[in-house]
Amino acid sequence: MAPVQLDSVDDQLKNVIQDLFEIQSAVHGYLGPETQQQLIRKISQLSNSLSSLSSTSSTLPTQIPPEIIEYVEDGRNPDIYTREFVELAQKQNQYLKGKSEAFAGFRDVLAEEIVKAIPELKEEVEKRIEGRETREDMKENGEAKAT
């Protein structure tokens, strides 16, 4: 259903553009009272096209973030919002990557120290580091998480 609506909106947009072009041509070639009725007719046709476009497009499933609408209303370029959003996402990803790497390093150092202090746990520590531990192993050890 959506592609038909999009095609319909696309056609209506083309009609609005055509109406605007015709009005521009009529204004450029305006000769006074003899072309006034033609110009009025074209403006009325544009009004009808815009009304039709408005009623059809309101049924389309569009979700525009309110921040972008505010940017446009403030006369700012929405591309700036997009760029800032992407930059913020990159910064957060870098931060989380750093955190993840720090925890991995901590895990490795902790595992080394546990093995040095308690050598009999070496196999268990290696399982945990390699991620080989199964749910059954965890249940046996009494460490199963509730899901």
Side-chain angles (χ1 to χ4, degrees):
M1 185 171 155
V4 174
Q5 286 181 340
L6 287 176
D7 289 342
S8 175
V9 169
D10 189 44
D11 290 340
Q12 290 174 355
L13 275 172
K14 288 176 184 175
N15 289 339
V16 167
I17 292 169
Q18 181 63 35
D19 292 341
L20 287 169
F21 178 75
E22 289 175 4
I23 289 172
Q24 177 189 7
S25 298
V27 168
H28 183 69
Y30 187 72
L31 300 174
E34 56 261 6
T35 57
Q36 183 176 3
Q37 288 303 316
Q38 178 187 11
L39 185 58
I40 290 171
R41 198 170 41 251
K42 289 182 190 253
I43 291 173
S44 176
Q45 185 177 351
L46 173 64
S47 177
N48 291 337
S49 295
L50 288 170
S51 175
S52 174
L53 175 64
S54 177
S55 64
T56 303
S57 64
S58 65
T59 62
L60 291 176
T62 55
Q63 295 178 351
I64 300 174
E67 294 86 6
I68 292 178
I69 293 172
E70 288 176 21
Y71 258 67
V72 172
E73 286 177 349
D74 293 341
R76 297 174 72 189
N77 187 343
D79 290 340
I80 294 171
Y81 172 82
T82 304
R83 185 181 64 232
E84 289 173 352
F85 182 81
V86 168
E87 288 172 356
L88 180 64
Q90 287 174 336
K91 284 180 187 177
Q92 289 176 340
N93 284 344
Q94 288 173 348
Y95 173 75
L96 291 176
K97 181 181 180 210
K99 240 180 151 175
S100 177
E101 289 173 352
F103 277 115
F106 175 72
R107 177 201 61 212
D108 294 341
V109 169
L110 182 62
E112 261 182 51
E113 293 300 319
I114 288 175
V115 170
K116 283 181 188 175
I118 312 170
E120 52 272 3
L121 291 178
K122 182 177 183 176
E123 187 178 321
E124 285 295 318
V125 170
E126 287 175 353
K127 273 187 194 179
R128 300 256 178 161
I129 288 179
E130 293 174 9
R132 291 185 293 154
E133 187 169 44
T134 63
R135 282 197 180 276
E136 290 77 30
D137 291 339
M138 292 175 79
K139 285 180 185 175
E140 288 175 12
N141 295 332
E143 301 172 6
K145 293 182 180 177
T147 55

